[in-house]
């Protein structure tokens, strides 16, 4: 995934899923990767649980709106906070971090 969303440093605003294309890409990936439907997992009668994510109960499970809500509710960088952000003053680029 090559996100088009860009961060802004205020306090810390990671700006996840600011670009609607990032949302569409992630949801397409969620729907494409159905690990429970692989041949190996079917041997174990694997099934996805249909537990609603708190805050997403009003959406039909597995719908586009449900996954968009779930992504926004669960997104976290707690284990992998990294990236780059340009630092500039006006139009003059000062640095990149």
């Amino acid at each position: 995934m090559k996100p088009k969303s860009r961060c802004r440093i205020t306090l810390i605003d990671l700006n996840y899923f600011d670009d609607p294309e990032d949302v569409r890409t992630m949801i397409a990936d969620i729907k494409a990767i159905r690990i429970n439907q692989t041949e190996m997992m079917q041997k174990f009668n694997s099934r996805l649980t249909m537990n609603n994510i708190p805050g997403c109960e009003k959406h039909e499970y597995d719908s586009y709106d449900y996954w968009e809500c779930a992504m926004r509710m669960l997104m976290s960088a707690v284990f992998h906070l990294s990236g780059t952000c340009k630092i500039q003053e006006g139009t003059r680029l000062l640095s990149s971090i």
Side-chain angles (χ1 to χ4, degrees):
M1 187 167 123
K2 295 180 180 177
K4 294 184 180 195
S5 305
R6 298 294 174 237
C7 72
R8 291 182 290 278
I9 297 178
T10 50
L11 292 174
I12 294 183
D13 180 1
L14 298 175
N15 211 24
Y16 289 127
F17 305 120
D18 181 57
D19 190 298
E21 188 174 337
D22 293 341
V23 174
R24 288 189 297 272
T25 299
M26 184 66 87
I27 291 173
D29 291 343
I30 289 169
K31 290 188 170 279
I33 301 171
R34 297 296 181 159
I35 194 166
N36 69 306
Q37 295 174 359
T38 63
E39 183 180 339
M40 180 58 76
M41 294 304 283
Q42 286 297 300
K43 290 179 182 179
F44 299 102
N45 199 26
S46 171
R47 299 179 201 274
L48 290 176
T49 61
M50 292 179 57
N51 298 335
N52 278 321
I53 304 298
C56 302
E57 300 89 351
K58 68 181 179 178
H59 303 292
E60 179 184 346
Y61 179 79
D62 207 27
S63 68
Y64 184 95
D65 290 336
Y66 174 82
W67 286 117
E68 181 175 7
C69 177
M71 289 172 4
R72 294 184 186 284
M73 296 301 286
L74 298 174
M75 182 51 66
S76 170
V78 68
F79 296 112
H80 191 219
L81 184 56
S82 66
T84 61
C85 189
K86 293 179 181 177
I87 299 175
Q88 62 186 62
E89 182 177 16
T91 58
R92 195 178 99 198
L93 180 64
L94 301 175
S95 185
S96 238
I97 58 169

